[in-house]
Each structure stands twice: as structure tokens, then as C-alpha cells.
Amino acid sequence: MTRPLDHAIQDWLDTIADTRSVETHRTYSYAMRGFLAWLARQGSLPTLDGLTMALLRSYVDYLLRQRLADRTRQQYVDVLCRWITALVEGGELVGIPNDRGRLVAPAAVRDQLERKLPRREPAVAPRIPDLRRLPAYYPDQLEQFLRTRGGAIPTPDDARAWRAYLNLLRNHALITTLFSTGGRVNEVLRLDVAQIVRHGLIMDSV
């Protein structure tokens, strides 16, 4: 007999807690608890062997009836599919049985569920040449700023120049960190020097 779904979900959330930002983990927890709440309203919380494509499709149908943004529905389905992938990779499931009893792999589960959702317009990406120039933009601005001052770094006594200099340094550090780590903007903004520097040296990982 396989584990109850609520235990499997909580174990997964506990496992990924140290590998996700607080905000991301909170989103995952909220999404999965919403799934559990929906299951409870159906009258029972099945074990893992009761997880079927029919059940998952019914949940997506429920999401479609709620007054939710398309992005929110997509997010809930994405988190659910991530959990299913983890179960298969961890050996607890081989796949999700469809109406004919055949096992559906995680990628196909995602594809079938996402096909039920409203089609999303692709995001407009920035032009590649501009994106490639972005990491060099603030170093160039810093160099130009200092050149106009004969190479002299401003002091706090010159409030306007000092503020401009600090802004350039901050933006340069932000863009460099984003491009170097692949982190999200909110994750990088929450970084503290104490998290990345030990004994005057930058750590290899945070």
C-alpha cells in the first residue's frame, strides 16, 4: 500500500525547502495545499496509487471554474507536475495511469494537463543584441563618469556626485550578479553581504 497523498506532498515540500527561495517554497506549499483541500472536498484523500489522470483532469477542471488568473492556474499545474516528476524520479511511482490503465510519464502528464488550460501568449523577449550589451553598460557608464572627473572618486561631501557614483556601482553589481548566477531579481535584491562573503572572500555558492 502506498503512502497517503498528504504525507507524500509534505515530504516533498520538506525536501525542497533548502533548495528554493522562501517565496518560491511558499508558492509551492500554497499550490499543493490547495490541491489537498480540493481532494478533501471530494470526500477522501487517496493514497499515491489513487493518483490517476482522471483525478488530475478533474482538478484542472476545478481550477478552470475558479476566478483565477490564467498565470495562477498555470502555476498550480506546474507545481503539481513538478511533484509528480519528483515521485517518479524517486521511484515511488512509475507513472500516472490513464483511463485505459496505461502509465503516463511525467512529461506527458504535464502536456495533457496544460492542454486543458487557456493558451498563453508568448512573452516578448528583449532583443538579443541589446541583452548582450547590458552587462557592459554600467562598467562603461562608470568609466565615463570617472573620466569626466579626471579619475577622481567623489566623496560624501559632494552628495549629488556621490549618489550617482553609488547608483552606478549598485546597478553594475546587480546586473553582474543576475547574469552570473541566473538568480531572480527578488532573490538577488534580498542578498546580504554576510551571505556571500566570508573572511573577505566571496564564497563559491550561497
Side-chain angles (χ1 to χ4, degrees):
M1 181 176 179
T2 56
R3 290 192 297 156
L5 281 184
D6 54 345
H7 292 183
I9 287 172
Q10 187 57 56
D11 287 349
W12 177 64
L13 291 172
D14 291 342
T15 298
I16 65 172
D18 294 333
T19 63
R20 302 294 191 278
S21 69
V22 173
E23 183 177 337
T24 298
H25 190 264
R26 186 183 300 117
T27 298
Y28 282 21
S29 298
Y30 189 83
M32 295 309 294
R33 283 179 171 77
F35 177 57
L36 285 174
W38 173 79
L39 285 172
R41 288 194 293 273
Q42 309 313 300
S44 66
L45 286 175
T47 56
L48 285 178
D49 55 9
L51 198 61
T52 64
M53 285 304 304
L55 183 72
L56 297 176
R57 287 196 300 270
S58 293
Y59 176 60
V60 176
D61 288 338
Y62 160 76
L63 292 178
L64 290 170
R65 293 193 299 269
Q66 305 309 299
R67 298 180 63 181
L68 298 171
D70 289 345
R71 181 177 179 182
T72 300
R73 293 191 188 97
Q74 182 73 38
Q75 189 174 58
Y76 288 178
V77 171
D78 174 68
V79 174
L80 183 62
C81 290
R82 287 174 184 270
W83 171 62
I84 291 170
T85 299
L87 290 174
V88 173
E89 291 179 347
E92 289 202 71
L93 291 178
V94 178
I96 305 297
N98 63 16
D99 298 338
R100 298 181 179 179
R102 295 179 180 176
L103 295 177
V104 181
V109 171
R110 177 185 290 276
D111 181 63
Q112 290 185 34
L113 296 183
E114 288 186 343
R115 267 190 269 163
K116 294 177 68 66
L117 298 173
R119 191 170 185 177
R120 293 189 301 171
E121 294 297 326
V124 178
R127 290 180 296 169
I128 294 301
D130 293 341
L131 185 61
R132 290 175 177 173
R133 286 199 295 269
L134 186 56
Y137 176 78
Y138 285 107
D140 291 344
Q141 291 294 304
L142 270 169
E143 182 180 350
Q144 182 178 341
F145 175 80
L146 293 175
R147 190 184 304 120
T148 61
R149 298 177 54 83
I153 296 176
T155 64
D157 296 335
D158 186 350
R160 184 173 181 179
W162 177 245
R163 189 180 304 111
Y165 177 65
L166 292 181
N167 284 341
L168 287 170
L169 288 177
R170 178 201 60 196
N171 293 343
H172 175 33
L174 176 61
I175 295 300
T176 300
T177 304
L178 286 170
F179 271 77
S180 299
T181 65
R184 298 179 178 180
V185 172
N186 61 346
E187 292 173 335
V188 172
L189 290 176
R190 286 201 305 268
L191 284 176
D192 186 272
V193 172
Q195 295 177 272
I196 59 177
V197 176
R198 290 290 185 274
H199 309 297
L201 299 174
I202 297 177
M203 296 184 293
D204 290 336
S205 61
V206 179

mmCIF file of all heavy atoms in Angstrom, residues 36-79:
data_model
loop_
_atom_site.group_PDB
_atom_site.id
_atom_site.type_symbol
_atom_site.label_atom_id
_atom_site.label_comp_id
_atom_site.label_asym_id
_atom_site.label_seq_id
_atom_site.Cartn_x
_atom_site.Cartn_y
_atom_site.Cartn_z
ATOM 1 N N LEU A 36 -4.661 19.558 -2.038
ATOM 2 C CA LEU A 36 -5.135 18.709 -0.942
ATOM 3 C C LEU A 36 -6.519 19.130 -0.470
ATOM 4 O O LEU A 36 -7.369 18.281 -0.169
ATOM 5 C CB LEU A 36 -4.150 18.750 0.223
ATOM 6 C CG LEU A 36 -2.845 17.969 0.057
ATOM 7 C CD1 LEU A 36 -1.908 18.215 1.236
ATOM 8 C CD2 LEU A 36 -3.131 16.477 -0.088
ATOM 9 N N ALA A 37 -6.762 20.428 -0.378
ATOM 10 C CA ALA A 37 -8.066 20.923 0.066
ATOM 11 C C ALA A 37 -9.150 20.495 -0.923
ATOM 12 O O ALA A 37 -10.263 20.117 -0.526
ATOM 13 C CB ALA A 37 -8.036 22.440 0.203
ATOM 14 N N TRP A 38 -8.827 20.549 -2.211
ATOM 15 C CA TRP A 38 -9.797 20.112 -3.225
ATOM 16 C C TRP A 38 -10.080 18.624 -3.084
ATOM 17 O O TRP A 38 -11.233 18.187 -3.140
ATOM 18 C CB TRP A 38 -9.260 20.413 -4.626
ATOM 19 C CG TRP A 38 -10.128 19.851 -5.706
ATOM 20 C CD1 TRP A 38 -11.298 20.375 -6.184
ATOM 21 C CD2 TRP A 38 -9.902 18.631 -6.440
ATOM 22 N NE1 TRP A 38 -11.814 19.564 -7.169
ATOM 23 C CE2 TRP A 38 -10.972 18.495 -7.346
ATOM 24 C CE3 TRP A 38 -8.897 17.664 -6.423
ATOM 25 C CZ2 TRP A 38 -11.075 17.424 -8.223
ATOM 26 C CZ3 TRP A 38 -8.990 16.599 -7.292
ATOM 27 C CH2 TRP A 38 -10.063 16.481 -8.177
ATOM 28 N N LEU A 39 -9.021 17.830 -2.848
ATOM 29 C CA LEU A 39 -9.213 16.394 -2.666
ATOM 30 C C LEU A 39 -10.106 16.118 -1.457
ATOM 31 O O LEU A 39 -10.989 15.253 -1.515
ATOM 32 C CB LEU A 39 -7.853 15.704 -2.465
ATOM 33 C CG LEU A 39 -6.974 15.539 -3.704
ATOM 34 C CD1 LEU A 39 -5.605 15.022 -3.297
ATOM 35 C CD2 LEU A 39 -7.622 14.596 -4.713
ATOM 36 N N ALA A 40 -9.877 16.847 -0.377
ATOM 37 C CA ALA A 40 -10.671 16.638 0.837
ATOM 38 C C ALA A 40 -12.150 16.913 0.568
ATOM 39 O O ALA A 40 -13.028 16.221 1.107
ATOM 40 C CB ALA A 40 -10.150 17.523 1.963
ATOM 41 N N ARG A 41 -12.412 17.902 -0.269
ATOM 42 C CA ARG A 41 -13.805 18.219 -0.572
ATOM 43 C C ARG A 41 -14.467 17.155 -1.449
ATOM 44 O O ARG A 41 -15.694 17.107 -1.557
ATOM 45 C CB ARG A 41 -13.893 19.592 -1.255
ATOM 46 C CG ARG A 41 -13.616 20.759 -0.310
ATOM 47 C CD ARG A 41 -14.052 22.066 -0.929
ATOM 48 N NE ARG A 41 -13.251 22.428 -2.075
ATOM 49 C CZ ARG A 41 -12.099 23.113 -2.013
ATOM 50 N NH1 ARG A 41 -11.626 23.495 -0.831
ATOM 51 N NH2 ARG A 41 -11.435 23.416 -3.116
ATOM 52 N N GLN A 42 -13.642 16.307 -2.062
ATOM 53 C CA GLN A 42 -14.199 15.207 -2.856
ATOM 54 C C GLN A 42 -14.614 14.044 -1.967
ATOM 55 O O GLN A 42 -15.235 13.084 -2.438
ATOM 56 C CB GLN A 42 -13.184 14.718 -3.899
ATOM 57 C CG GLN A 42 -12.564 15.794 -4.768
ATOM 58 C CD GLN A 42 -13.577 16.756 -5.338
ATOM 59 O OE1 GLN A 42 -14.486 16.360 -6.061
ATOM 60 N NE2 GLN A 42 -13.420 18.035 -5.008
ATOM 61 N N GLY A 43 -14.257 14.116 -0.681
ATOM 62 C CA GLY A 43 -14.698 13.076 0.259
ATOM 63 C C GLY A 43 -13.615 12.172 0.778
ATOM 64 O O GLY A 43 -13.837 11.419 1.723
ATOM 65 N N SER A 44 -12.410 12.221 0.174
ATOM 66 C CA SER A 44 -11.338 11.356 0.670
ATOM 67 C C SER A 44 -9.989 11.861 0.182
ATOM 68 O O SER A 44 -9.904 12.594 -0.807
ATOM 69 C CB SER A 44 -11.536 9.912 0.206
ATOM 70 O OG SER A 44 -11.399 9.831 -1.205
ATOM 71 N N LEU A 45 -8.940 11.466 0.885
ATOM 72 C CA LEU A 45 -7.582 11.745 0.460
ATOM 73 C C LEU A 45 -6.955 10.414 0.058
ATOM 74 O O LEU A 45 -6.578 9.610 0.919
ATOM 75 C CB LEU A 45 -6.772 12.384 1.597
ATOM 76 C CG LEU A 45 -7.089 13.842 1.919
ATOM 77 C CD1 LEU A 45 -6.293 14.304 3.139
ATOM 78 C CD2 LEU A 45 -6.783 14.739 0.746
ATOM 79 N N PRO A 46 -6.881 10.123 -1.225
ATOM 80 C CA PRO A 46 -6.369 8.813 -1.667
ATOM 81 C C PRO A 46 -4.879 8.662 -1.400
ATOM 82 O O PRO A 46 -4.170 9.625 -1.130
ATOM 83 C CB PRO A 46 -6.661 8.827 -3.167
ATOM 84 C CG PRO A 46 -6.640 10.277 -3.542
ATOM 85 C CD PRO A 46 -7.229 10.985 -2.353
ATOM 86 N N THR A 47 -4.428 7.444 -1.474
ATOM 87 C CA THR A 47 -3.003 7.175 -1.416
ATOM 88 C C THR A 47 -2.424 7.415 -2.807
ATOM 89 O O THR A 47 -3.143 7.700 -3.762
ATOM 90 C CB THR A 47 -2.747 5.727 -0.975
ATOM 91 O OG1 THR A 47 -3.438 4.845 -1.861
ATOM 92 C CG2 THR A 47 -3.233 5.499 0.449
ATOM 93 N N LEU A 48 -1.110 7.264 -2.923
ATOM 94 C CA LEU A 48 -0.463 7.539 -4.204
ATOM 95 C C LEU A 48 -1.004 6.666 -5.327
ATOM 96 O O LEU A 48 -1.045 7.097 -6.485
ATOM 97 C CB LEU A 48 1.051 7.353 -4.078
ATOM 98 C CG LEU A 48 1.812 8.460 -3.335
ATOM 99 C CD1 LEU A 48 3.286 8.112 -3.246
ATOM 100 C CD2 LEU A 48 1.620 9.806 -4.012
ATOM 101 N N ASP A 49 -1.408 5.434 -5.000
ATOM 102 C CA ASP A 49 -1.907 4.578 -6.076
ATOM 103 C C ASP A 49 -3.300 4.992 -6.543
ATOM 104 O O ASP A 49 -3.819 4.445 -7.510
ATOM 105 C CB ASP A 49 -1.899 3.102 -5.663
ATOM 106 C CG ASP A 49 -2.659 2.849 -4.371
ATOM 107 O OD1 ASP A 49 -3.326 3.784 -3.883
ATOM 108 O OD2 ASP A 49 -2.569 1.728 -3.836
ATOM 109 N N GLY A 50 -3.891 5.978 -5.877
ATOM 110 C CA GLY A 50 -5.169 6.510 -6.337
ATOM 111 C C GLY A 50 -5.020 7.740 -7.206
ATOM 112 O O GLY A 50 -6.005 8.357 -7.622
ATOM 113 N N LEU A 51 -3.769 8.089 -7.483
ATOM 114 C CA LEU A 51 -3.481 9.259 -8.324
ATOM 115 C C LEU A 51 -3.617 8.847 -9.783
ATOM 116 O O LEU A 51 -2.810 8.076 -10.300
ATOM 117 C CB LEU A 51 -2.065 9.762 -8.027
ATOM 118 C CG LEU A 51 -1.690 11.183 -8.449
ATOM 119 C CD1 LEU A 51 -2.577 12.206 -7.753
ATOM 120 C CD2 LEU A 51 -0.230 11.443 -8.110
ATOM 121 N N THR A 52 -4.634 9.341 -10.457
ATOM 122 C CA THR A 52 -4.896 8.951 -11.843
ATOM 123 C C THR A 52 -5.027 10.189 -12.722
ATOM 124 O O THR A 52 -5.205 11.306 -12.220
ATOM 125 C CB THR A 52 -6.207 8.148 -11.950
ATOM 126 O OG1 THR A 52 -7.301 9.008 -11.576
ATOM 127 C CG2 THR A 52 -6.179 6.932 -11.024
ATOM 128 N N MET A 53 -4.959 9.977 -14.024
ATOM 129 C CA MET A 53 -5.134 11.087 -14.948
ATOM 130 C C MET A 53 -6.538 11.664 -14.822
ATOM 131 O O MET A 53 -6.737 12.865 -14.939
ATOM 132 C CB MET A 53 -4.886 10.626 -16.389
ATOM 133 C CG MET A 53 -3.417 10.406 -16.739
ATOM 134 S SD MET A 53 -2.367 11.862 -16.450
ATOM 135 C CE MET A 53 -3.185 13.114 -17.435
ATOM 136 N N ALA A 54 -7.536 10.799 -14.579
ATOM 137 C CA ALA A 54 -8.912 11.284 -14.428
ATOM 138 C C ALA A 54 -9.006 12.226 -13.233
ATOM 139 O O ALA A 54 -9.674 13.273 -13.301
ATOM 140 C CB ALA A 54 -9.865 10.103 -14.246
ATOM 141 N N LEU A 55 -8.333 11.868 -12.146
ATOM 142 C CA LEU A 55 -8.343 12.728 -10.965
ATOM 143 C C LEU A 55 -7.660 14.062 -11.254
ATOM 144 O O LEU A 55 -8.171 15.130 -10.888
ATOM 145 C CB LEU A 55 -7.637 12.013 -9.803
ATOM 146 C CG LEU A 55 -7.624 12.753 -8.465
ATOM 147 C CD1 LEU A 55 -9.015 12.742 -7.845
ATOM 148 C CD2 LEU A 55 -6.620 12.107 -7.513
ATOM 149 N N LEU A 56 -6.518 14.021 -11.913
ATOM 150 C CA LEU A 56 -5.773 15.244 -12.226
ATOM 151 C C LEU A 56 -6.563 16.139 -13.185
ATOM 152 O O LEU A 56 -6.572 17.364 -13.031
ATOM 153 C CB LEU A 56 -4.409 14.889 -12.821
ATOM 154 C CG LEU A 56 -3.451 14.116 -11.904
ATOM 155 C CD1 LEU A 56 -2.176 13.753 -12.642
ATOM 156 C CD2 LEU A 56 -3.122 14.923 -10.649
ATOM 157 N N ARG A 57 -7.213 15.524 -14.165
ATOM 158 C CA ARG A 57 -8.026 16.325 -15.094
ATOM 159 C C ARG A 57 -9.195 16.983 -14.362
ATOM 160 O O ARG A 57 -9.554 18.131 -14.656
ATOM 161 C CB ARG A 57 -8.532 15.451 -16.241
ATOM 162 C CG ARG A 57 -7.469 15.061 -17.262
ATOM 163 C CD ARG A 57 -8.121 14.547 -18.545
ATOM 164 N NE ARG A 57 -8.950 13.380 -18.285
ATOM 165 C CZ ARG A 57 -8.512 12.117 -18.334
ATOM 166 N NH1 ARG A 57 -7.239 11.876 -18.649
ATOM 167 N NH2 ARG A 57 -9.343 11.113 -18.108
ATOM 168 N N SER A 58 -9.774 16.276 -13.414
ATOM 169 C CA SER A 58 -10.880 16.851 -12.639
ATOM 170 C C SER A 58 -10.408 18.049 -11.837
ATOM 171 O O SER A 58 -11.128 19.048 -11.702
ATOM 172 C CB SER A 58 -11.466 15.794 -11.690
ATOM 173 O OG SER A 58 -12.092 14.762 -12.404
ATOM 174 N N TYR A 59 -9.186 17.960 -11.331
ATOM 175 C CA TYR A 59 -8.640 19.092 -10.571
ATOM 176 C C TYR A 59 -8.432 20.298 -11.479
ATOM 177 O O TYR A 59 -8.756 21.434 -11.103
ATOM 178 C CB TYR A 59 -7.323 18.692 -9.907
ATOM 179 C CG TYR A 59 -6.648 19.829 -9.180
ATOM 180 C CD1 TYR A 59 -7.288 20.490 -8.137
ATOM 181 C CD2 TYR A 59 -5.373 20.257 -9.553
ATOM 182 C CE1 TYR A 59 -6.668 21.540 -7.462
ATOM 183 C CE2 TYR A 59 -4.756 21.299 -8.884
ATOM 184 C CZ TYR A 59 -5.406 21.938 -7.850
ATOM 185 O OH TYR A 59 -4.803 22.995 -7.192
ATOM 186 N N VAL A 60 -7.911 20.068 -12.672
ATOM 187 C CA VAL A 60 -7.714 21.176 -13.608
ATOM 188 C C VAL A 60 -9.069 21.770 -14.019
ATOM 189 O O VAL A 60 -9.205 22.993 -14.138
ATOM 190 C CB VAL A 60 -6.920 20.718 -14.846
ATOM 191 C CG1 VAL A 60 -6.810 21.851 -15.865
ATOM 192 C CG2 VAL A 60 -5.523 20.254 -14.439
ATOM 193 N N ASP A 61 -10.060 20.922 -14.195
ATOM 194 C CA ASP A 61 -11.411 21.430 -14.496
ATOM 195 C C ASP A 61 -11.909 22.327 -13.358
ATOM 196 O O ASP A 61 -12.554 23.357 -13.606
ATOM 197 C CB ASP A 61 -12.384 20.264 -14.699
ATOM 198 C CG ASP A 61 -12.148 19.529 -16.004
ATOM 199 O OD1 ASP A 61 -11.543 20.125 -16.923
ATOM 200 O OD2 ASP A 61 -12.553 18.354 -16.108
ATOM 201 N N TYR A 62 -11.605 21.919 -12.136
ATOM 202 C CA TYR A 62 -11.986 22.737 -10.977
ATOM 203 C C TYR A 62 -11.278 24.094 -11.027
ATOM 204 O O TYR A 62 -11.901 25.142 -10.797
ATOM 205 C CB TYR A 62 -11.621 21.989 -9.690
ATOM 206 C CG TYR A 62 -11.512 22.866 -8.476
ATOM 207 C CD1 TYR A 62 -12.657 23.345 -7.832
ATOM 208 C CD2 TYR A 62 -10.263 23.232 -7.972
ATOM 209 C CE1 TYR A 62 -12.550 24.166 -6.712
ATOM 210 C CE2 TYR A 62 -10.154 24.044 -6.859
ATOM 211 C CZ TYR A 62 -11.302 24.504 -6.236
ATOM 212 O OH TYR A 62 -11.190 25.325 -5.132
ATOM 213 N N LEU A 63 -9.979 24.092 -11.348
ATOM 214 C CA LEU A 63 -9.237 25.354 -11.441
ATOM 215 C C LEU A 63 -9.840 26.261 -12.517
ATOM 216 O O LEU A 63 -9.899 27.489 -12.344
ATOM 217 C CB LEU A 63 -7.766 25.084 -11.765
ATOM 218 C CG LEU A 63 -6.928 24.389 -10.683
ATOM 219 C CD1 LEU A 63 -5.511 24.149 -11.192
ATOM 220 C CD2 LEU A 63 -6.891 25.221 -9.395
ATOM 221 N N LEU A 64 -10.283 25.667 -13.605
ATOM 222 C CA LEU A 64 -10.853 26.457 -14.694
ATOM 223 C C LEU A 64 -12.181 27.101 -14.301
ATOM 224 O O LEU A 64 -12.565 28.126 -14.862
ATOM 225 C CB LEU A 64 -11.050 25.574 -15.927
ATOM 226 C CG LEU A 64 -9.758 25.116 -16.626
ATOM 227 C CD1 LEU A 64 -10.067 24.063 -17.672
ATOM 228 C CD2 LEU A 64 -9.040 26.307 -17.259
ATOM 229 N N ARG A 65 -12.858 26.513 -13.328
ATOM 230 C CA ARG A 65 -14.133 27.086 -12.884
ATOM 231 C C ARG A 65 -13.945 28.198 -11.849
ATOM 232 O O ARG A 65 -14.887 28.932 -11.551
ATOM 233 C CB ARG A 65 -15.026 25.995 -12.274
ATOM 234 C CG ARG A 65 -15.509 24.957 -13.280
ATOM 235 C CD ARG A 65 -16.620 24.111 -12.702
ATOM 236 N NE ARG A 65 -16.201 23.371 -11.514
ATOM 237 C CZ ARG A 65 -15.688 22.151 -11.550
ATOM 238 N NH1 ARG A 65 -15.497 21.524 -12.710
ATOM 239 N NH2 ARG A 65 -15.367 21.532 -10.430
ATOM 240 N N GLN A 66 -12.734 28.301 -11.306
ATOM 241 C CA GLN A 66 -12.470 29.321 -10.300
ATOM 242 C C GLN A 66 -12.084 30.646 -10.951
ATOM 243 O O GLN A 66 -11.584 30.687 -12.065
ATOM 244 C CB GLN A 66 -11.339 28.866 -9.361
ATOM 245 C CG GLN A 66 -11.582 27.518 -8.693
ATOM 246 C CD GLN A 66 -12.930 27.451 -8.015
ATOM 247 O OE1 GLN A 66 -13.211 28.230 -7.107
ATOM 248 N NE2 GLN A 66 -13.767 26.518 -8.460
ATOM 249 N N ARG A 67 -12.322 31.703 -10.210
ATOM 250 C CA ARG A 67 -11.947 33.035 -10.710
ATOM 251 C C ARG A 67 -10.468 33.278 -10.418
ATOM 252 O O ARG A 67 -10.087 33.955 -9.465
ATOM 253 C CB ARG A 67 -12.812 34.102 -10.049
ATOM 254 C CG ARG A 67 -14.303 33.953 -10.369
ATOM 255 C CD ARG A 67 -15.141 35.015 -9.698
ATOM 256 N NE ARG A 67 -14.810 36.357 -10.169
ATOM 257 C CZ ARG A 67 -15.375 37.470 -9.730
ATOM 258 N NH1 ARG A 67 -16.318 37.406 -8.785
ATOM 259 N NH2 ARG A 67 -15.022 38.646 -10.210
ATOM 260 N N LEU A 68 -9.649 32.690 -11.253
ATOM 261 C CA LEU A 68 -8.202 32.777 -11.107
ATOM 262 C C LEU A 68 -7.593 33.340 -12.382
ATOM 263 O O LEU A 68 -8.133 33.154 -13.477
ATOM 264 C CB LEU A 68 -7.603 31.391 -10.839
ATOM 265 C CG LEU A 68 -8.038 30.655 -9.571
ATOM 266 C CD1 LEU A 68 -7.516 29.222 -9.593
ATOM 267 C CD2 LEU A 68 -7.529 31.376 -8.326
ATOM 268 N N ALA A 69 -6.475 33.992 -12.218
ATOM 269 C CA ALA A 69 -5.743 34.446 -13.396
ATOM 270 C C ALA A 69 -5.173 33.232 -14.121
ATOM 271 O O ALA A 69 -4.843 32.217 -13.496
ATOM 272 C CB ALA A 69 -4.615 35.389 -12.982
ATOM 273 N N ASP A 70 -5.059 33.326 -15.442
ATOM 274 C CA ASP A 70 -4.503 32.216 -16.212
ATOM 275 C C ASP A 70 -3.110 31.843 -15.701
ATOM 276 O O ASP A 70 -2.749 30.661 -15.645
ATOM 277 C CB ASP A 70 -4.419 32.590 -17.695
ATOM 278 C CG ASP A 70 -5.794 32.672 -18.341
ATOM 279 O OD1 ASP A 70 -6.767 32.179 -17.735
ATOM 280 O OD2 ASP A 70 -5.894 33.256 -19.439
ATOM 281 N N ARG A 71 -2.350 32.858 -15.332
ATOM 282 C CA ARG A 71 -0.994 32.603 -14.840
ATOM 283 C C ARG A 71 -1.029 31.795 -13.549
ATOM 284 O O ARG A 71 -0.180 30.929 -13.328
ATOM 285 C CB ARG A 71 -0.277 33.935 -14.615
ATOM 286 C CG ARG A 71 1.153 33.792 -14.126
ATOM 287 C CD ARG A 71 1.811 35.138 -13.989
ATOM 288 N NE ARG A 71 3.170 35.024 -13.502
ATOM 289 C CZ ARG A 71 3.969 36.058 -13.262
ATOM 290 N NH1 ARG A 71 3.534 37.288 -13.499
ATOM 291 N NH2 ARG A 71 5.188 35.873 -12.825
ATOM 292 N N THR A 72 -2.011 32.061 -12.688
ATOM 293 C CA THR A 72 -2.126 31.333 -11.424
ATOM 294 C C THR A 72 -2.468 29.874 -11.678
ATOM 295 O O THR A 72 -1.891 28.965 -11.068
ATOM 296 C CB THR A 72 -3.195 31.979 -10.528
ATOM 297 O OG1 THR A 72 -2.822 33.336 -10.267
ATOM 298 C CG2 THR A 72 -3.324 31.234 -9.211
ATOM 299 N N ARG A 73 -3.427 29.625 -12.579
ATOM 300 C CA ARG A 73 -3.776 28.243 -12.913
ATOM 301 C C ARG A 73 -2.549 27.501 -13.453
ATOM 302 O O ARG A 73 -2.291 26.354 -13.092
ATOM 303 C CB ARG A 73 -4.883 28.226 -13.966
ATOM 304 C CG ARG A 73 -6.224 28.766 -13.495
ATOM 305 C CD ARG A 73 -7.299 28.445 -14.524
ATOM 306 N NE ARG A 73 -8.557 29.108 -14.207
ATOM 307 C CZ ARG A 73 -8.965 30.246 -14.731
ATOM 308 N NH1 ARG A 73 -8.193 30.866 -15.627
ATOM 309 N NH2 ARG A 73 -10.122 30.783 -14.393
ATOM 310 N N GLN A 74 -1.817 28.164 -14.330
ATOM 311 C CA GLN A 74 -0.632 27.555 -14.909
ATOM 312 C C GLN A 74 0.386 27.231 -13.819
ATOM 313 O O GLN A 74 1.031 26.173 -13.836
ATOM 314 C CB GLN A 74 -0.009 28.507 -15.934
ATOM 315 C CG GLN A 74 1.225 27.959 -16.650
ATOM 316 C CD GLN A 74 0.876 26.884 -17.657
ATOM 317 O OE1 GLN A 74 -0.144 26.997 -18.323
ATOM 318 N NE2 GLN A 74 1.694 25.858 -17.770
ATOM 319 N N GLN A 75 0.515 28.119 -12.862
ATOM 320 C CA GLN A 75 1.465 27.920 -11.776
ATOM 321 C C GLN A 75 1.075 26.712 -10.921
ATOM 322 O O GLN A 75 1.924 25.890 -10.554
ATOM 323 C CB GLN A 75 1.532 29.177 -10.912
ATOM 324 C CG GLN A 75 2.633 29.187 -9.870
ATOM 325 C CD GLN A 75 2.697 30.522 -9.168
ATOM 326 O OE1 GLN A 75 1.725 30.965 -8.567
ATOM 327 N NE2 GLN A 75 3.840 31.182 -9.250
ATOM 328 N N TYR A 76 -0.220 26.595 -10.606
ATOM 329 C CA TYR A 76 -0.684 25.465 -9.802
ATOM 330 C C TYR A 76 -0.430 24.143 -10.510
ATOM 331 O O TYR A 76 -0.001 23.163 -9.886
ATOM 332 C CB TYR A 76 -2.178 25.608 -9.503
ATOM 333 C CG TYR A 76 -2.521 26.683 -8.502
ATOM 334 C CD1 TYR A 76 -3.842 26.948 -8.170
ATOM 335 C CD2 TYR A 76 -1.528 27.452 -7.894
ATOM 336 C CE1 TYR A 76 -4.177 27.937 -7.256
ATOM 337 C CE2 TYR A 76 -1.847 28.447 -6.986
ATOM 338 C CZ TYR A 76 -3.172 28.688 -6.667
ATOM 339 O OH TYR A 76 -3.499 29.666 -5.768
ATOM 340 N N VAL A 77 -0.701 24.107 -11.811
ATOM 341 C CA VAL A 77 -0.465 22.887 -12.581
ATOM 342 C C VAL A 77 1.025 22.594 -12.670
ATOM 343 O O VAL A 77 1.459 21.434 -12.575
ATOM 344 C CB VAL A 77 -1.094 23.009 -13.980
ATOM 345 C CG1 VAL A 77 -0.675 21.838 -14.877
ATOM 346 C CG2 VAL A 77 -2.613 23.059 -13.877
ATOM 347 N N ASP A 78 1.830 23.606 -12.827
ATOM 348 C CA ASP A 78 3.282 23.434 -12.907
ATOM 349 C C ASP A 78 3.822 22.812 -11.626
ATOM 350 O O ASP A 78 4.616 21.867 -11.671
ATOM 351 C CB ASP A 78 3.953 24.787 -13.165
ATOM 352 C CG ASP A 78 5.467 24.680 -13.122
ATOM 353 O OD1 ASP A 78 6.044 24.040 -14.017
ATOM 354 O OD2 ASP A 78 6.091 25.240 -12.190
ATOM 355 N N VAL A 79 3.391 23.321 -10.475
ATOM 356 C CA VAL A 79 3.864 22.788 -9.192
ATOM 357 C C VAL A 79 3.414 21.340 -9.027
ATOM 358 O O VAL A 79 4.193 20.479 -8.593
ATOM 359 C CB VAL A 79 3.361 23.654 -8.021
ATOM 360 C CG1 VAL A 79 3.734 23.020 -6.687
ATOM 361 C CG2 VAL A 79 3.937 25.064 -8.110
#
